[in-house]
Amino acid sequence: DYGTAIQYAIQALRKAPERALGFRIAATKLFLTLQLLNGETPSRSEFLDSQMKDALYPYMQLTSCVRFGNLGRFMSLVKQFQETLEHDKTYTLILRIRQNVIRTGLKHICQAYSRISLSDICVKLSLENPDDVEYIVSKAIREGVVTATIDHEAGTVNTSDTVDVYSTTEPLQAFQKRIAFLNDVHADAKRALRYVGTADPDLEAERQKREREELGMAVDIDDGMDVDFSEI
């Protein structure tokens, strides 16, 4: 479940100390990869941290390809940064993002054309096998990624009129996701609070013992400093 994994990554980043730069970089790379796998597009601001900017450069380039559905450039970048991705142990996860790039590219094509041939879709998506196009389009229609129909005889895809997103449940799902995230943050903050009345008894006893010892040492020092000035 990518959603659950994202929550774990967020908690790890929130609790990581500032000086643990290596851990924060590794956790951020995994977090960005999981976002892409979950169909989300990380904002550009997440790549601009001065301490992590260079380390996150490959992921920023890959995110740009996902945003625009550019499969050809995406696969080229995966090959270019393969050694880095394998070192980060995210290479196999990045390869799974290919399907999301195809969906995004297909969605952009259907928004731009009311009618387009399957062969043209194959060229625009930079697919290697033209025979896979019909299956990919039909799957996208079935999953609700695009609203279109396939004319098998003519070999074309006919898109329907653009649907008003506010007439669908998509805004509701987006708000629900944000509310759930904020509730998790609130719950984590409450668990992290330290209440005075719930202190550990052993630690409290140790603290009181240490205070008594320090008080005793202070009294001894004061006694040792008493001097009878009449004898001087």
Side-chain angles (χ1 to χ4, degrees):
D1 184 359
Y2 295 132
T4 303
I6 287 174
Q7 295 304 319
Y8 288 149
I10 291 174
Q11 292 178 14
L13 286 169
R14 190 184 305 131
K15 296 178 181 179
E18 287 294 325
R19 62 180 179 274
L21 180 60
F23 175 81
R24 288 173 50 228
I25 290 176
T28 302
K29 289 177 178 179
L30 181 59
F31 171 61
L32 296 172
T33 304
L34 290 170
Q35 278 188 297
L36 293 173
L37 284 169
N38 202 39
E40 303 172 10
T41 304
S43 62
R44 185 175 179 81
S45 60
E46 297 185 31
F47 300 94
L48 300 182
D49 189 312
S50 58
Q51 294 181 311
M52 299 189 287
K53 186 175 181 180
D54 293 338
L56 298 180
Y57 177 76
Y59 295 86
M60 183 176 68
Q61 295 297 313
L62 292 170
T63 299
S64 176
C65 294
V66 175
R67 180 180 289 111
F68 296 106
N70 191 337
L71 181 63
R73 177 162 172 74
F74 176 82
M75 297 308 298
S76 175
L77 288 172
V78 169
K79 185 176 181 179
Q80 177 182 345
F81 297 119
Q82 180 175 351
E83 185 176 347
T84 300
L85 298 175
E86 288 178 345
H87 178 268
D88 296 338
K89 301 187 185 305
T90 58
Y91 179 69
T92 55
L93 294 175
I94 292 294
L95 290 178
R96 298 183 190 178
I97 300 174
R98 178 178 181 272
Q99 298 301 321
N100 292 357
V101 181
I102 292 175
R103 290 194 192 97
T104 304
L106 183 59
K107 190 174 183 179
H108 289 170
I109 290 172
C110 290
Q111 289 174 346
Y113 297 90
S114 59
R115 183 178 182 181
I116 185 171
S117 66
L118 293 171
S119 58
D120 287 341
I121 292 177
C122 179
V123 173
K124 290 182 178 296
L125 291 179
S126 302
L127 296 174
E128 298 177 356
N129 190 355
D131 297 334
D132 293 339
V133 178
E134 187 171 346
Y135 168 76
I136 291 173
V137 174
S138 61
K139 184 179 180 182
I141 294 173
R142 186 168 60 253
E143 293 178 350
V145 177
V146 296
T147 305
T149 58
I150 300 177
D151 187 339
H152 299 282
E153 295 182 358
T156 59
V157 175
N158 303 318
T159 60
S160 304
D161 294 335
T162 304
V163 179
D164 182 9
V165 69
Y166 291 102
S167 65
T168 67
T169 60
E170 187 173 339
L172 174 63
Q173 294 172 356
F175 279 120
Q176 184 62 36
K177 185 182 296 184
R178 294 180 184 180
I179 291 170
F181 170 74
L182 292 175
N183 284 337
D184 290 340
V185 173
H186 180 256
D188 290 342
K190 288 178 65 177
R191 284 194 291 266
L193 289 175
R194 295 182 178 180
Y195 297 97
V196 177
T198 59
D200 189 332
D202 295 336
L203 293 177
E204 185 66 18
E206 182 67 23
R207 184 183 65 80
Q208 293 177 358
K209 180 181 178 181
R210 186 166 58 253
E211 289 180 353
R212 287 195 299 269
E213 291 176 351
E214 291 175 355
L215 182 60
M217 291 176 62
V219 171
D220 293 340
I221 292 173
D222 290 340
D223 292 342
M225 293 181 63
D226 290 341
V227 179
D228 186 356
F229 289 97
S230 63
E231 297 178 357
I232 299 177

